Amino acid sequence: MTRSTEPHDRRARRLLGAYRRLGALLPASARRQMLEAAALDASELVRRASHRGGRGAAAAAALRAMADLAVRIGAERARERRTRAGGERMRAWTTAVRQAVRGLLRRPAYATVAALTLSLGIGANVAIFAVVDGVLLQPLEYPDPDAIVLLEHHAPGLDLPTLPQSDGTALMYAREDSSFSAFTSLETQGRNLAGEPGMDARRITVLATNDGFFPVFGVRPALGRALVAADSEVGAPPVGLLADELWTSDFARDPAVVGRTLLLDGEAVEIVGVLPAGVRVPDEDFQAIVALELDPDEGFGSFSHSGLGRLAPGVDLSAAQAEIDALQTRIPEFFPDVQEALLEAAGWSASLTPLKDEVVSEIRATLWILMGTVALVFVIAAANVANLVLVRAESRQRETAVRTALGAGRVDLLRTFVAESGVLAVT
């Protein structure tokens, strides 16, 4: 047994020696990590191949092991070259930045003028972009804000380019339009507030609305209940909810405020709930919500309050607009006192506009023009700084010539100027 295995062991030892000599070509770090274990693995493979197939199999296994090691050597040496090159580049950039800082400190006037010029351009762009981002790019602060749309009517034939809602149309849309998951009417009112002893009497802004307000804007009361459909019926007891601001200032955030009353223009309004902080409608701050009375007997009526709807899940704006258009043709069916000929003469129509577009419609063009203007200011500032850099480069011709004579290449010179520009921009 010993005699039969001894040749194999000698071949394994010879392979191990050759393997280690080849492995000496590995980088030092990789050699320490992998060579010993790899050599033992290769020796074991050769030994097993020799037992199974004799010298031919052992030689083939040895050649495969050597080839694998050669591939690994090439990969490791390439990786080390990349690492070394990356480290050298990092050191070169670090040196260039240090030299740029020292050079700018030696010429503080140039550095100050360049930095202030860039600050003007960068600062103006950042400030205006913050406004553009907050107003135009960011969504409104409601759940799924893209589903909220404003519904308006148009009667150009009567010189009425835009008409809001009447009681009749608001009830019609809430009842008949299946493209809305909820529909609400809004009317901002100024009312005189009075209340319990010790409460200051003053003028406040009140939002008159109905039960659809809460699902349209995704609002849940912090205390009490929301409005319900019965609150907007003719003759229903007046009820309302306090905004967080009024609850804090006049009721000291008393949780027992529900059930108490406010006097609004002398009318006793029962407090049925309190809104969470931050609830508002676009362009309107209000201190309380009251139930908006919607009279189904008013007919087509007078158009006095805004109409907002939330699109049902899976309904896009074009489908909702198609259903709104179809409802306009049925207006004489819902309001017999309105003749079809009158609607045609008036050029009657209705349109849906995403609430975000309506909110920013008047300021959108102004903000983009302002953004373009400050971008041009930045371009001018950058051009002025570029001129300063060129003048400074012209004054450094002797330094550049000396560095070139000492062996600095174009990349090295370019790195110096880029580092100096970067330091100015960061400053």
Side-chain angles (χ1 to χ4, degrees), residues 132-356:
V132 171
D133 180 58
V135 175
L136 300 182
L137 304 182
Q138 293 296 325
L140 298 176
E141 296 180 353
Y142 306 114
D144 192 14
D146 294 337
I148 305 176
V149 294
L150 174 70
L151 197 162
E152 294 179 310
H153 304 104
H154 312 283
L158 300 178
D159 199 21
L160 296 170
T162 302
L163 282 169
Q165 301 297 316
S166 66
D167 289 6
T169 58
L171 291 171
M172 176 187 71
Y173 293 128
R175 182 181 64 249
E176 300 291 337
D177 198 322
S178 62
S179 60
F180 294 136
S181 61
F183 189 83
T184 187
S185 296
L186 307 174
E187 184 177 300
T188 305
Q189 303 171 350
R191 293 208 189 178
N192 296 312
L193 167 69
E196 301 170 343
M199 182 181 294
D200 295 333
R202 62 188 185 278
R203 190 83 170 165
I204 66 170
T205 300
V206 172
L207 183 69
T209 186
N210 63 344
D211 60 304
F213 172 86
F214 297 89
V216 166
F217 287 99
V219 175
R220 293 184 178 180
L223 288 177
R225 67 170 177 86
L227 297 177
V228 296
D231 295 328
S232 295
E233 294 178 354
V234 177
V239 297
L241 292 89
L242 301 178
D244 184 78
E245 175 191 350
L246 186 61
W247 181 42
T248 301
S249 62
D250 288 55
F251 295 92
R253 305 185 71 83
D254 182 3
V257 69
V258 176
R260 292 156 72 171
T261 59
L262 293 174
L263 286 178
L264 296 176
D265 290 344
E267 179 183 50
V269 177
E270 180 187 357
I271 301 172
V272 297
V274 176
L275 296 171
V279 174
R280 60 187 302 271
V281 296
D283 302 326
E284 293 290 350
D285 290 319
F286 55 88
Q287 287 73 54
I289 281 180
V290 297
L292 175 66
E293 185 178 279
L294 297 174
D295 186 358
D297 298 326
E298 184 180 319
F300 209 46
S302 59
F303 295 80
S304 59
H305 38 81
S306 302
L308 290 164
R310 175 175 284 276
L311 299 179
V315 177
D316 60 18
L317 188 64
S318 59
Q321 182 65 60
E323 186 164 355
I324 287 294
D325 293 339
L327 280 175
Q328 305 314 302
T329 64
R330 299 175 59 194
I331 284 178
E333 174 186 335
F334 300 118
F335 307 103
D337 56 329
V338 179
Q339 302 299 317
E340 185 174 345
L342 175 62
L343 295 177
E344 291 180 358
W348 182 267
S349 64
S351 64
L352 293 176
T353 306
L355 182 59
K356 178 64 178 286

Side-chain angles (χ1 to χ4, degrees), residues 331-399:
I331 284 178
E333 174 186 335
F334 300 118
F335 307 103
D337 56 329
V338 179
Q339 302 299 317
E340 185 174 345
L342 175 62
L343 295 177
E344 291 180 358
W348 182 267
S349 64
S351 64
L352 293 176
T353 306
L355 182 59
K356 178 64 178 286
D357 291 351
E358 178 66 22
V359 169
V360 304
S361 59
E362 295 182 358
I363 198 173
R364 184 193 300 272
T366 302
L367 285 179
W368 284 122
I369 291 173
L370 189 58
M371 186 70 194
T373 303
V374 296
L376 181 60
V377 170
F378 178 69
V379 171
I380 294 172
N384 287 332
V385 173
N387 286 332
L388 289 174
V389 171
L390 289 175
V391 171
R392 176 166 163 74
E394 184 73 17
S395 66
R396 297 170 64 183
Q397 285 187 350
R398 179 176 298 177
E399 174 192 340

